[in-house]
């Protein structure tokens, strides 16, 4: 059953990619013609590309031009740092899952467009608590979370404070209250997030932001299933924030599937634990009955010995 559990939580961090390339024949024909002109294919390619990092005349390039040449760690380097910081092996059932989460989190935070906000922090904390709540070694889950944040350059105390602030803010709120805040109305932390997103053409969505919205929905009593959450997610992301809701809905769907299966696994594990306790109680009862029977036989034997001794005397 632990193997199934590992497979389910590993699905939380699943990603996909697709790439398309031009036909090799077309590439050869073009480069061959350029090479005939100057006998230097590499120079021809460089001239036709005419690309200078950070010098493009576009608002996006101008905004992030200062990051030109910045060194960015690879996912492998990030996971090596995570392993060094943790300082202990991860349970085999959780290793693939944590490898994926470290990679996804690292790629998110090193993106120039990424800005951490309280909703993202709530989603991050909620996800990790869900996935690691049944980690077999006591206290190890908290250490894994701390190591993840440290290797990705995140302040755990700040993330937990933001998550706690969001959970406190949403108490007593309604769906309409959250939607209004995401439109930028008011002076709440959610309103600040909504304003920043609406004002930023290049605002970046990431999975944990979507899960943070799901966590808010759960707090206000929205049923945790796709049919009920999808329209709310569309309202929050598209209507209120003016951003696409499709990826957020897909991420929420994955979250529900994993959460439901983990809840089922937890129920099954509790049932197995109860059955095992019953078996243990039965074994103890059998042992006690055997001990009583043995003691009774001893008493009867002692009486027989006394009778024989009395008869001889």
């Amino acid at each position: 059953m632990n193997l199934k559990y590992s497979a389910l939580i590993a699905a939380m961090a699943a990603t996909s990619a697709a790439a398309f390339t031009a036909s090799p024949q077309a590439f050869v024909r073009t480069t061959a013609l350029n090479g005939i002109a100057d006998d230097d294919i590499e120079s021809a390619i460089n001239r036709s590309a005419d690309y200078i990092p950070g010098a493009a005349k576009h608002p996006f390039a101008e905004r992030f031009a200062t990051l030109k040449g910045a060194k960015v760690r690879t996912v492998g380097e990030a996971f090596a740092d995570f392993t060094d910081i943790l300082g202990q092996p991860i349970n085999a059932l959780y290793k693939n899952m944590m490898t994926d989460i470290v990679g996804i989190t690292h790629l998110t935070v090193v993106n120039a467009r990424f800005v951490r906000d309280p909703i993202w922090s709530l989603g991050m904390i909620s996800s990790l608590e869900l996935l690691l709540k049944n980690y077999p070694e006591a206290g190890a889950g908290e250490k894994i979370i701390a190591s993840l944040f440290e290797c990705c350059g995140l302040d755990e105390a700040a993330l937990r404070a933001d998550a706690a602030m969001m959970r406190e803010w949403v108490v007593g709120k309604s769906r309409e209250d959250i939607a209004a805040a995401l439109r930028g109305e008011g002076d709440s932390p959610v309103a600040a997030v909504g304003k920043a997103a609406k004002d930023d053409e290049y605002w970046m969505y990431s999975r944990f932001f979507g899960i943070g919205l799901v966590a808010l929905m759960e707090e206000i009593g929205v049923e945790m299933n796709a049919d009920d959450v999808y329209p709310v997610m569309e309202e929050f992301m598209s209507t209120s924030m003016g951003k696409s809701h499709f990826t957020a809905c897909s991420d929420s769907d994955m979250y529900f599937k994993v959460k439901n299966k983990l809840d089922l696994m937890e129920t099954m594990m509790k049932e197995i634990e109860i059955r095992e306790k019953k078996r243990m109680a039965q074994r103890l009862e059998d042992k006690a009955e055997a001990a009583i029977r043995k003691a009774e036989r001893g008493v009867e034997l002692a009486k027989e010995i006394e009778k024989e001794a009395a008869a001889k005397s």
Side-chain angles (χ1 to χ4, degrees):
M1 184 170 62
N2 286 337
L3 183 59
K4 292 182 180 178
Y5 180 73
S6 173
L8 293 171
I9 55 183
M12 190 65 183
T15 58
S16 61
F20 300 90
T21 58
S23 70
Q25 184 178 0
F27 177 76
V28 171
R29 181 166 56 249
T30 302
T31 54
L33 291 174
N34 286 338
I36 291 173
D38 56 15
D39 202 29
D40 187 346
I41 295 175
E42 184 176 354
S43 298
I45 293 174
N46 289 337
R47 284 196 301 274
S48 62
D50 193 23
Y51 172 72
I52 302 175
K57 299 303 180 183
H58 189 277
F60 183 88
E62 292 170 355
R63 175 176 174 178
F64 299 108
T66 56
L67 298 176
K68 179 182 67 174
K71 181 175 177 5
V72 178
R73 291 181 306 160
T74 65
V75 171
E77 290 171 337
F79 189 77
D81 290 345
F82 168 76
T83 303
D84 292 340
I85 294 168
L86 183 59
Q88 66 185 53
I90 299 176
N91 185 289
L93 298 175
Y94 289 78
K95 188 165 186 178
N96 288 340
M97 177 196 76
M98 287 312 304
T99 300
D100 290 340
I101 290 179
V102 170
I104 289 172
T105 306
H106 168 70
L107 292 175
T108 298
V109 300
V110 299
N111 191 308
R113 298 162 54 211
F114 172 73
V115 177
R116 183 178 65 80
D117 59 63
I119 296 177
W120 187 90
S121 298
L122 175 62
M124 186 77 184
I125 295 296
S126 299
S127 298
L128 291 172
E129 288 178 348
L130 170 68
L131 296 172
L132 294 171
K133 67 178 180 179
N134 288 321
Y135 195 84
E137 299 172 25
E142 289 78 6
K143 191 171 182 180
I144 290 173
I145 293 174
S147 301
L148 167 65
F149 290 151
E150 185 176 346
C151 84
C152 291
L154 296 168
D155 185 338
E156 180 181 3
L159 262 74
R160 291 191 179 277
D162 282 350
M165 175 181 64
M166 294 304 301
R167 287 169 175 153
E168 181 179 350
W169 175 84
V170 77
V171 174
K173 297 295 190 299
S174 65
R175 170 178 171 176
E176 291 72 22
D177 293 332
I178 297 176
L182 289 171
R183 289 195 297 270
E185 300 175 8
D187 56 358
S188 68
V190 175
V193 174
K195 289 176 184 176
K198 291 171 73 70
D199 293 342
D200 187 356
E201 180 183 359
Y202 303 111
W203 177 82
M204 174 183 164
Y205 169 85
S206 62
R207 176 174 299 169
F208 294 116
F209 184 88
I211 296 176
L213 290 178
V214 171
L216 292 178
M217 295 179 205
E218 186 173 13
E219 292 291 337
I220 63 174
V222 176
E223 290 294 327
M224 291 290 100
N225 60 71
D227 291 338
D228 289 311
V229 166
Y230 278 19
V232 183
M233 185 66 78
E234 181 177 2
E235 179 183 3
F236 286 177
M237 289 293 300
S238 296
T239 306
S240 296
M241 297 179 64
K243 307 297 180 182
S244 173
H245 65 280
F246 297 111
T247 304
C249 287
S250 176
D251 289 339
S252 67
D253 188 38
M254 180 189 298
Y255 177 80
F256 297 142
K257 288 177 181 178
V258 173
K259 185 177 185 299
N260 291 338
K261 290 179 180 178
L262 290 179
D263 289 342
L264 177 61
M265 288 296 169
E266 185 175 2
T267 300
M268 292 174 64
M269 285 190 288
K270 287 180 179 178
E271 291 176 353
I272 290 174
E273 184 179 358
I274 291 172
R275 287 198 295 267
E276 185 59 31
K277 287 182 178 179
K278 287 182 178 179
R279 291 194 194 99
M280 185 179 296
Q282 186 62 48
R283 287 194 294 268
L284 291 174
E285 184 178 348
D286 293 342
K287 287 181 180 180
E289 291 178 355
I292 292 173
R293 288 194 296 269
K294 183 177 180 181
E296 290 174 347
R297 288 196 300 269
V299 171
E300 292 176 358
L301 180 60
K303 290 180 179 179
E304 291 294 329
I305 293 173
E306 288 179 0
K307 287 181 180 179
E308 290 180 1
K312 291 179 179 180
S313 62

